[in-house]
Amino acid sequence: MVRQQRCCLVATNGTQIQLAYNPFNVANNDIVGTDGKLNPAAQLKCPDDLDWTKDLVRTGSRKDYAINFSGGDDKFDYFLSFGYLKEEGLSYVNRFRKIYC
């Protein structure tokens, strides 16, 4: 049977904070000092985990290809166009593709 331990920190004003996991490199009772401020020696164990934006955003790109033909003579003119557009925005859910004639 695995038992999850909860740690309690008591600040100077009597406020109690319960942590299920201690993300700092110091003991649970050393995270907040007796003055109520964060211990300057307390550093996060995995500071890279706080960068949540890397999973949501990216460098956007846009690709636009087009080819046109035109011409004519005394009796008629013609113009033919084909194109392809692919756009990927900053967020992973922002995507657009278009084929046009």
Side-chain angles (χ1 to χ4, degrees), residues 9-24:
L9 300 174
V10 180
T12 55
N13 64 359
T15 304
Q16 203 173 48
I17 303 170
Q18 293 186 356
L19 297 176
Y21 170 72
N22 179 1
F24 296 99

Side-chain angles (χ1 to χ4, degrees), residues 31-45:
I31 297 172
V32 178
T34 56
D35 58 356
K37 295 182 180 178
L38 185 64
N39 182 354
Q43 300 293 320
L44 290 171
K45 293 177 185 175

Side-chain angles (χ1 to χ4, degrees), residues 23-90:
F24 296 99
N25 63 346
V26 295
N28 294 333
N29 58 353
D30 290 335
I31 297 172
V32 178
T34 56
D35 58 356
K37 295 182 180 178
L38 185 64
N39 182 354
Q43 300 293 320
L44 290 171
K45 293 177 185 175
C46 301
D48 295 337
D49 287 346
L50 295 178
D51 187 14
W52 55 269
T53 59
K54 68 181 177 185
D55 296 326
L56 296 178
V57 296
R58 64 179 171 206
T59 303
S61 67
R62 179 183 171 112
K63 297 172 183 153
D64 193 359
Y65 304 100
I67 186 167
N68 301 312
F69 301 100
S70 64
D73 58 15
D74 294 340
K75 295 185 179 182
F76 69 95
D77 293 329
Y78 65 89
F79 178 78
L80 185 60
S81 174
F82 297 100
Y84 174 74
L85 171 66
K86 180 180 178 184
E87 186 174 274
E88 294 181 351
L90 294 176

